Amino acid sequence: MMLISAIKVTLYLPWAHSLKDKRMVVQSILAKLRHHFHLSAAEVARQDLHQTAVIATAAIVPDQKTADQLSERIIHFIEENCEAQITDICTEIR
């Protein structure tokens, strides 16, 4: 049985004064996530707000333990590789 691990992360970018500033950060972290973890990643909400970004990732995993470990690794990766502050995290495994 395979599971889908989905994570939605809300980021706050207090220094972003335009959508262009936000887009540079969002595109960078999405590319890094895709490359490092080989998963799907996209900006999924609040595209019109320049200081808030909501990104989501999805991956196929073999079991609950792997899903939990992947979630932790992704959150840590975002914290280490993005200047934005994480304000909310929502994980779902199906």
Side-chain angles (χ1 to χ4, degrees):
M1 181 173 93
M2 299 299 255
L3 300 172
I4 299 171
S5 175
I7 304 168
K8 185 169 72 170
V9 179
T10 304
L11 302 171
Y12 176 59
L13 301 86
W15 44 265
H17 298 292
S18 68
L19 291 175
K20 185 176 181 180
D21 291 342
K22 172 186 165 179
R23 188 170 36 253
M24 287 176 23
V25 172
V26 170
Q27 294 302 321
S28 174
I29 194 65
L30 291 175
K32 288 176 184 176
L33 285 166
R34 290 178 190 126
H35 177 75
H36 188 79
F37 294 101
H38 305 287
L39 47 69
S40 296
E43 184 177 11
V44 295
R46 301 184 188 164
Q47 287 95 336
D48 57 338
L49 300 177
H50 64 272
Q51 290 187 326
T52 304
V54 181
I55 60 173
T57 65
I60 305 294
V61 293
D63 54 46
Q64 181 73 40
K65 180 180 177 185
T66 305
D68 293 339
Q69 291 171 342
L70 180 62
S71 296
E72 289 178 24
R73 290 178 50 219
I74 289 170
I75 299 305
H76 181 72
F77 186 86
I78 292 171
E79 290 172 340
E80 295 295 317
N81 289 281
C82 185
E83 300 171 17
Q85 302 167 3
I86 296 176
T87 59
D88 189 41
I89 301 168
C90 179
T91 60
E92 186 174 339
I93 300 164
R94 292 189 173 217

